[in-house]
Amino acid sequence: MAWTKTYSGTEPMRVNKWLATEGVCSRREADALIEKGLVKINGEVLTEAGYKIEDGQTLTLTEKAARRLDNQLSLMFHKPVGIVSGTPEPGEIPAVRLINEDSLSGRAHAIPGRNNRLAPLGRLDKDSHGLLILSEDGVLAKALIGPESKLEKEYHVKVRGDVTEDKLTKLRHGLELDGRQLRPADVTVIKGNELKFILREGRNRQIRRMCDLVELRVIDLIRTRIGPLSLAGLPEGKWRPISGRERDELLRWEVQGFSAEPAAPVVVERKRPLPAGKRPTSPGKKPMGKPRGDGAPAKPKPADPKFKRTKLAPRKRTPIK
């Protein structure tokens, strides 16, 4: 379904900037849609990339443009040590090369192919492992790695050296890298020489360099969380798609500056075991007769090994900074 909205600003605004402000797409994506003739102003195809929309004018994205944006893939990957996040040097393996049908955990609407342009949203060093987000979504990219992004990233780090309160204080808010003051960080001791870092920026090899400054050596580093998304039970080397609801939650965290809180325990209602040979009944339905044969459970049907690309449901447009 095409997206349409009437502009009501007091001053004219470039179309690409307005679409980014509305959370529809990034400026670069907007320029690409305009170049392909997929954007209309008051029913006329827009051909000028720098055009400024004025109060009362109605902008429409064609159905083709909306489908193109709605089908953008975003996924989370448990990156192993030794795999690089971005552009590889000779002999290195980039994370995107491991995103295929064989490494999928669970199900996906689509399997990335040659035509997909997945980019890592945030650094994760070759020597580190853990949660890595890859996406084609420009709006999500700005929220996660834009210059104003303050989305939390959580790491569990094992270090070698004496962990003292003075060192912890410096790690939290007393260090500079490359002549620039670091944003305050939450650094706590899990146990012994295991630390938990929560950062709100993503400088190059930041945690390793921070620890070097206080004479601590990192011997293991895993990223366990980005905003509301947790690595949870995703096995190493596996990936799964990010749902539309998770995308909306990521954007909401970035805009509103949420902090992680301990999750409430999940209460599971325990039911009394049924007598042998008796089947559970749904409310309002009569009990069925006795099970056939010896009552052995039926064999599950084999899963369809083929994955077909299907049309994704339209995603919610969320305003961003």
Side-chain angles (χ1 to χ4, degrees):
M1 183 176 180
W3 183 88
T4 183
K5 189 170 183 178
T6 301
Y7 181 67
S8 58
T10 56
E11 297 291 336
M13 183 183 292
R14 288 177 65 109
V15 167
N16 61 0
K17 182 179 180 180
W18 186 51
L19 287 174
T21 303
E22 289 292 313
V24 175
C25 59
S26 68
R27 296 191 189 192
R28 183 178 297 179
E29 290 168 342
D31 288 339
L33 295 177
I34 293 171
E35 183 180 350
K36 293 182 179 296
L38 303 179
V39 181
K40 296 181 179 181
I41 299 290
N42 290 346
E44 298 291 331
V45 175
L46 180 61
T47 57
E48 182 184 347
Y51 183 85
K52 292 185 177 182
I53 191 169
E54 298 181 359
D55 182 41
Q57 291 185 321
T58 299
L59 183 146
T60 302
L61 294 182
T62 65
E63 290 187 6
K64 184 176 180 180
R67 286 198 304 269
R68 181 172 174 174
L69 294 174
D70 291 335
N71 284 329
Q72 288 176 323
L73 295 176
S74 297
L75 59 91
M76 53 188 295
F77 175 55
H78 189 159
K79 187 190 86 67
V81 171
I83 303 299
V84 297
S85 300
T87 305
E89 297 291 338
E92 293 181 331
I93 300 175
V96 69
R97 193 183 299 174
L98 302 183
I99 308 301
N100 51 48
E101 183 176 328
D102 293 335
S103 59
L104 171 65
S105 177
R107 297 181 178 180
H109 290 288
I111 303 298
R114 294 181 179 180
N115 295 328
N116 296 106
R117 297 182 177 181
L118 291 168
L121 305 188
R123 300 183 179 96
L124 192 58
D125 303 329
K126 181 179 178 180
D127 298 334
S128 304
H129 55 122
L131 178 56
L132 179 66
I133 292 178
L134 298 103
S135 178
E136 301 174 303
D137 188 336
V139 173
L140 201 58
K142 182 177 179 181
L144 267 66
I145 59 175
E148 298 180 0
S149 175
K150 296 181 181 179
L151 198 67
E152 288 185 350
K153 289 92 174 176
E154 182 176 319
Y155 305 80
H156 287 190
V157 183
K158 292 182 181 180
V159 297
R160 182 175 296 147
D162 294 329
V163 178
T164 65
E165 192 59 38
D166 179 59
K167 292 180 180 180
L168 291 174
T169 300
K170 290 179 179 179
L171 289 171
R172 288 165 184 152
H173 47 248
L175 298 176
E176 291 185 359
L177 288 179
D178 304 322
R180 289 167 50 196
Q181 185 75 28
L182 294 173
R183 291 177 183 171
D186 295 336
V187 184
T188 55
V189 178
I190 300 174
K191 62 177 181 179
N193 280 40
E194 295 183 24
L195 308 177
K196 180 174 75 173
F197 282 72
I198 297 179
L199 305 183
R200 296 168 184 84
E201 58 188 330
R203 307 278 288 277
N204 185 32
R205 298 179 65 85
Q206 180 171 340
I207 292 179
R208 295 179 186 275
R209 295 168 68 194
M210 289 171 66
C211 288
D212 286 343
L213 291 175
V214 295
E215 299 181 348
L216 294 176
R217 182 185 176 188
V218 173
I219 57 177
D220 185 59
L221 187 154
I222 179 171
R223 181 158 62 200
T224 58
R225 179 176 63 85
I226 298 177
L229 288 188
S230 172
L231 195 60
L234 185 64
E236 189 172 87
K238 298 289 186 177
W239 67 276
R240 71 165 181 81
I242 292 174
S243 68
R245 180 180 296 180
E246 288 173 326
R247 175 188 183 272
D248 293 341
E249 193 69 8
L250 274 167
L251 297 179
R252 195 160 67 95
W253 269 55
E254 199 283 326
V255 171
Q256 300 183 12
F258 292 158
S259 294
E261 296 179 357
V266 178
V267 179
V268 180
E269 182 181 355
R270 298 186 179 275
K271 298 181 180 180
R272 295 180 180 178
L274 293 172
K278 186 174 181 180
R279 294 182 179 180
T281 59
S282 301
K285 292 187 178 181
K286 295 181 179 180
M288 299 182 68
K290 295 181 180 180
R292 298 178 183 175
D294 58 359
K299 295 182 180 180
K301 295 181 179 180
D304 185 0
K306 297 181 181 179
F307 291 85
K308 297 181 180 179
R309 188 179 186 92
T310 57
K311 182 180 178 182
L312 304 180
R315 70 189 188 194
K316 184 180 178 182
R317 310 297 178 190
T318 308
I320 65 173
K321 293 181 181 178

